[in-house]
Amino acid sequence: MARSTQPSTLRLDAKVSQVAGLRIHLRTRRGLEAFVRDELLQHPTLNDRFKLLKVSAGCVAITATASFSVGDLYQLRTFGSIHFVLGVVPTSKDIDVAALAKLIASPLTQRICSKLTDGQPRYRLKFMRAKVPYGTAQAVINQAFAQCPDLLNDPRQAPWAIDVYPEKIGSSVELRPRVSPDPRFVYRADDVPASTHPPLAAAMAKLAGQTDNEVVWDPFCGSGLELIERSLLGGVQAIIASDIAPKAVEIARLNLEKAGVTNASVSTHACDFREHQDIEDLPAGGVSLMITNPPLGRRVRVADMQGLFEEIFKVAARNLRKGGRLVILNPLKRTNAPASLKLQSGDPVDVGGFECRLEKWVKL
């Protein structure tokens, strides 16, 4: 079969104008749905261009009330990916090949892809949370191609994915733009193992809230995402990034520079958080926000997790000013925190295959 060999790219700024009845899923990690919802509803320009339909585990369903672009939605920082819902295939014992192929080749798919793609539309088919025999998947692809030869299955160079999600009502068939690099997080010049998922870092910054003349410290800074996301919200006077790994500190410094963090003084330190008294720029009892994703015991092993977190909370109690906040990911069911710290919120979130609590503590 004849296929264009020219690469296809997404048009993030192209406007989708026929929006009536178009359902969009903003998919995110479980536990971050409320952040996505609130970010949309509070956004100064998007809140009146989209209508909230439903919030469910890992998904915020919306519909557009005016023309929009994919780039418009990328003003929101706490979702993971954007999905245009093509339809639902009723639940059955086996994959309904004909019904699925019909949705893939539908006029809606063609309209969105032709509007938002430079070059020939290409997609890759992915069955989420399910194992589907290769022959079945190939049959779907072949039938879709027979109905729409202009839409090519090409998993190597496809700017689109068609994801099939098993839901209670059936299989939700969704068209997802494969946006890479993510335009929201292009400041990531480099990364470290076990660093925070960027939308989760953005949610942590949102949870922290804003105060003026903020002094922010991350004692396990990793690649610096939490500090950058908090800085982007404004009101930050000083940023202090420290980590026991010198390589992480260097990467955090590079990322902070690439993010253009110029609205605050920035200092970086390679040291153990227990040696906080040696950090010259760390004001004793003067930190307004401590925001951190410490080792959680999975990708980075910790011999005494309970002891580590007790020390983290003691250090927070010493260094936070009155009214200061600690925002932290906590894998423990119980935490022995000093009496001067009060838990304000603590909800479970998916941190990559397992759950932790995303907690906010306040210094009394």
Side-chain angles (χ1 to χ4, degrees), residues 28 32 35-36 39 75-79 184-185 187 196-209 224-233 291 327 358:
T28 189
L32 298 185
F35 291 98
V36 178
E39 191 178 11
Q75 295 178 65
L76 306 176
R77 307 187 69 81
T78 55
F79 71 84
R184 301 169 296 178
F185 309 111
Y187 59 72
T196 309
H197 182 54
L200 175 55
M204 293 176 69
K206 295 281 187 183
L207 179 63
L225 270 64
E226 290 86 353
L227 294 171
I228 292 170
E229 289 298 318
R230 174 59 193 89
S231 177
L232 292 174
L233 296 177
I291 182 169
V327 173
L358 176 52

Coordinates of all heavy atoms in Angstrom, one line a residue, residues 28 32 35-36 39 75-79 184-185 187 196-209 224-233 291 327 358:
T28 N -5.4 11.7 34.5 CA -4.3 12.0 35.4 C -4.1 10.9 36.3 O -4.8 9.8 36.3 CB -4.7 13.3 36.2 OG1 -3.6 13.7 37.0 CG2 -5.9 13.0 37.1
L32 N -5.3 12.9 41.8 CA -5.0 14.3 41.4 C -6.2 14.9 40.7 O -6.2 16.0 40.2 CB -3.8 14.3 40.4 CG -2.5 13.9 41.0 CD1 -1.4 14.1 40.0 CD2 -2.2 14.6 42.3
F35 N -7.4 18.3 41.8 CA -6.5 19.4 41.4 C -6.8 19.8 39.9 O -6.8 21.0 39.6 CB -5.0 18.9 41.5 CG -4.5 18.7 42.9 CD1 -4.5 17.5 43.5 CD2 -4.1 19.8 43.6 CE1 -4.1 17.3 44.8 CE2 -3.7 19.7 44.9 CZ -3.7 18.4 45.5
V36 N -7.0 18.8 39.0 CA -7.3 19.1 37.7 C -8.6 19.9 37.6 O -8.7 20.9 36.9 CB -7.4 17.8 36.8 CG1 -7.8 18.1 35.4 CG2 -6.1 17.1 36.9
E39 N -8.2 23.4 39.0 CA -7.4 24.2 38.2 C -8.2 24.7 37.0 O -8.1 25.9 36.6 CB -6.2 23.4 37.7 CG -5.1 24.3 37.0 CD -3.9 23.5 36.6 OE1 -3.9 22.2 36.6 OE2 -2.9 24.1 36.2
Q75 N -2.4 24.8 29.1 CA -2.2 25.8 30.2 C -2.4 25.2 31.6 O -2.0 25.8 32.6 CB -3.1 27.0 30.0 CG -2.9 27.8 28.7 CD -3.9 28.9 28.5 OE1 -3.9 29.9 29.3 NE2 -4.7 28.9 27.5
L76 N -3.1 24.1 31.6 CA -3.4 23.4 32.9 C -2.2 22.5 33.1 O -1.7 21.8 32.2 CB -4.7 22.6 32.8 CG -5.9 23.4 32.4 CD1 -7.1 22.4 32.3 CD2 -6.2 24.5 33.4
R77 N -1.7 22.4 34.4 CA -0.5 21.7 34.7 C -0.6 20.4 35.4 O 0.4 19.7 35.6 CB 0.5 22.7 35.4 CG 0.7 24.0 34.8 CD 1.7 24.9 35.5 NE 3.1 24.3 35.3 CZ 3.8 24.5 34.3 NH1 3.4 25.2 33.2 NH2 5.0 24.0 34.2
T78 N -1.8 20.1 35.9 CA -1.9 18.9 36.8 C -2.5 17.7 36.1 O -2.6 16.6 36.8 CB -2.7 19.3 38.0 OG1 -4.0 19.8 37.6 CG2 -2.0 20.3 38.9
F79 N -2.9 17.8 34.8 CA -3.4 16.5 34.2 C -2.2 15.9 33.5 O -1.1 16.5 33.3 CB -4.5 16.9 33.2 CG -4.0 17.6 31.9 CD1 -3.5 16.9 30.8 CD2 -4.1 19.0 31.8 CE1 -3.1 17.5 29.7 CE2 -3.7 19.6 30.7 CZ -3.1 18.9 29.6
R184 N 4.6 22.0 28.8 CA 4.5 22.6 30.1 C 5.8 22.5 30.9 O 6.1 23.2 31.8 CB 3.4 22.0 30.9 CG 2.0 22.2 30.3 CD 1.0 21.3 31.0 NE 1.3 19.9 30.8 CZ 0.6 18.9 31.4 NH1 -0.5 19.2 32.1 NH2 0.9 17.6 31.2
F185 N 6.6 21.4 30.5 CA 7.8 21.1 31.4 C 9.0 21.0 30.5 O 9.9 20.2 30.8 CB 7.5 19.7 32.0 CG 6.2 19.7 32.8 CD1 5.2 18.8 32.3 CD2 6.0 20.4 33.9 CE1 3.9 18.8 32.9 CE2 4.7 20.4 34.5 CZ 3.7 19.6 34.1
Y187 N 11.4 22.9 30.7 CA 12.5 23.3 31.5 C 13.3 22.1 32.0 O 14.4 22.2 32.6 CB 12.1 24.1 32.8 CG 11.1 23.4 33.7 CD1 11.5 22.3 34.5 CD2 9.8 23.8 33.7 CE1 10.6 21.7 35.3 CE2 8.8 23.1 34.6 CZ 9.3 22.1 35.4 OH 8.4 21.5 36.2
T196 N 10.0 13.3 40.7 CA 8.5 13.4 40.8 C 7.9 13.5 39.4 O 8.4 14.2 38.5 CB 8.1 14.6 41.6 OG1 8.8 14.6 42.8 CG2 6.6 14.7 41.9
H197 N 6.8 12.8 39.2 CA 6.0 13.0 37.9 C 5.6 14.5 37.8 O 5.0 15.0 38.8 CB 4.8 12.1 38.0 CG 3.9 12.1 36.8 ND1 4.3 11.9 35.6 CD2 2.5 12.4 36.7 CE1 3.3 11.9 34.7 NE2 2.2 12.3 35.4
P198 N 5.9 15.2 36.7 CA 5.7 16.6 36.7 C 4.3 17.1 37.1 O 4.2 18.1 37.8 CB 6.1 17.0 35.2 CG 7.1 15.9 34.8 CD 6.6 14.7 35.5
P199 N 3.2 16.5 36.6 CA 1.9 17.0 37.0 C 1.7 16.8 38.5 O 1.0 17.6 39.2 CB 0.9 16.1 36.2 CG 1.6 15.8 35.0 CD 3.0 15.5 35.4
L200 N 2.3 15.8 39.1 CA 2.2 15.6 40.6 C 3.0 16.8 41.3 O 2.5 17.3 42.3 CB 2.8 14.3 41.0 CG 2.9 14.0 42.5 CD1 1.6 14.2 43.2 CD2 3.4 12.6 42.7
A201 N 4.2 17.1 40.7 CA 4.9 18.3 41.3 C 4.1 19.5 41.2 O 4.1 20.3 42.2 CB 6.2 18.4 40.6
A202 N 3.4 19.7 40.1 CA 2.5 20.9 40.0 C 1.4 20.9 41.0 O 1.0 21.9 41.5 CB 2.0 21.0 38.5
A203 N 0.8 19.7 41.2 CA -0.3 19.6 42.2 C 0.3 19.9 43.6 O -0.4 20.5 44.4 CB -0.9 18.2 42.1
M204 N 1.5 19.4 43.9 CA 2.1 19.7 45.2 C 2.2 21.2 45.4 O 1.9 21.7 46.5 CB 3.4 19.0 45.4 CG 3.3 17.5 45.4 SD 4.9 16.6 45.5 CE 5.5 17.1 47.1
A205 N 2.6 21.9 44.4 CA 2.8 23.4 44.5 C 1.4 24.0 44.7 O 1.3 25.0 45.4 CB 3.5 23.9 43.2
K206 N 0.4 23.5 44.0 CA -1.0 24.0 44.1 C -1.4 23.8 45.6 O -2.1 24.7 46.2 CB -1.9 23.4 43.2 CG -1.6 23.6 41.7 CD -2.2 25.0 41.3 CE -2.0 25.2 39.8 NZ -2.5 26.5 39.3
L207 N -1.2 22.6 46.1 CA -1.6 22.3 47.5 C -0.9 23.3 48.5 O -1.5 23.7 49.5 CB -1.3 20.9 47.8 CG -1.6 20.4 49.2 CD1 -3.1 20.5 49.5 CD2 -1.1 19.0 49.4
A208 N 0.3 23.6 48.2 CA 1.1 24.4 49.1 C 0.4 25.8 49.3 O 0.5 26.4 50.3 CB 2.5 24.6 48.7
G209 N -0.2 26.3 48.2 CA -0.8 27.6 48.2 C 0.3 28.7 48.1 O 1.5 28.4 48.0
G224 N 14.5 19.2 41.0 CA 14.0 20.5 41.3 C 12.6 20.9 40.8 O 12.2 22.0 40.9
L225 N 11.8 19.9 40.4 CA 10.5 20.1 39.9 C 9.5 20.8 40.8 O 8.8 21.8 40.5 CB 9.8 18.8 39.4 CG 10.1 18.5 37.9 CD1 11.6 18.2 37.7 CD2 9.3 17.3 37.5
E226 N 9.5 20.4 42.1 CA 8.6 21.0 43.0 C 8.9 22.5 43.2 O 8.0 23.4 43.3 CB 8.6 20.3 44.4 CG 8.0 18.9 44.4 CD 9.0 17.8 43.9 OE1 10.1 18.2 43.5 OE2 8.6 16.6 44.0
L227 N 10.2 22.8 43.3 CA 10.6 24.2 43.5 C 10.3 25.0 42.3 O 9.8 26.2 42.4 CB 12.1 24.2 43.8 CG 12.6 23.6 45.1 CD1 14.1 23.5 45.1 CD2 12.1 24.4 46.3
I228 N 10.5 24.5 41.1 CA 10.1 25.2 39.9 C 8.6 25.5 39.8 O 8.2 26.6 39.5 CB 10.6 24.5 38.7 CG1 12.2 24.5 38.6 CG2 10.1 25.1 37.4 CD1 12.8 23.5 37.6
E229 N 7.8 24.5 40.1 CA 6.4 24.6 40.0 C 5.9 25.6 41.0 O 5.0 26.4 40.7 CB 5.7 23.3 40.1 CG 5.9 22.3 39.0 CD 5.3 22.9 37.7 OE1 4.2 23.4 37.7 OE2 6.0 22.8 36.6
R230 N 6.4 25.6 42.2 CA 6.0 26.6 43.2 C 6.5 28.0 42.7 O 5.7 29.0 42.9 CB 6.6 26.3 44.6 CG 6.3 27.3 45.6 CD 4.9 27.6 45.8 NE 4.6 28.8 46.6 CZ 4.5 30.0 46.1 NH1 4.5 30.2 44.8 NH2 4.2 31.1 46.9
S231 N 7.6 28.1 42.2 CA 8.1 29.4 41.7 C 7.2 30.0 40.6 O 7.0 31.2 40.6 CB 9.6 29.3 41.2 OG 10.0 30.6 40.7
L232 N 6.7 29.2 39.7 CA 5.9 29.6 38.6 C 4.6 30.2 39.1 O 3.9 31.0 38.4 CB 5.6 28.5 37.7 CG 6.8 27.9 36.9 CD1 6.4 26.7 36.1 CD2 7.4 29.0 36.0
L233 N 4.2 29.9 40.3 CA 2.9 30.5 40.9 C 3.1 31.9 41.4 O 2.2 32.6 41.7 CB 2.4 29.6 42.0 CG 2.0 28.2 41.6 CD1 1.5 27.3 42.8 CD2 0.8 28.2 40.6
I291 N 8.7 21.8 50.8 CA 8.0 21.0 49.9 C 8.9 20.0 49.3 O 10.0 20.3 48.8 CB 7.4 21.9 48.7 CG1 6.6 21.0 47.8 CG2 8.4 22.7 48.0 CD1 5.7 21.9 46.8
V327 N 4.7 20.4 52.7 CA 3.9 19.6 51.7 C 4.8 18.4 51.4 O 6.0 18.6 50.9 CB 3.6 20.4 50.5 CG1 3.0 19.5 49.4 CG2 2.6 21.5 50.9
L358 N -0.5 12.4 50.0 CA 0.0 13.8 49.7 C -0.5 14.6 50.9 O -1.7 14.9 51.0 CB -0.5 14.3 48.4 CG -0.2 15.7 48.0 CD1 1.3 16.0 48.1 CD2 -0.7 16.0 46.6

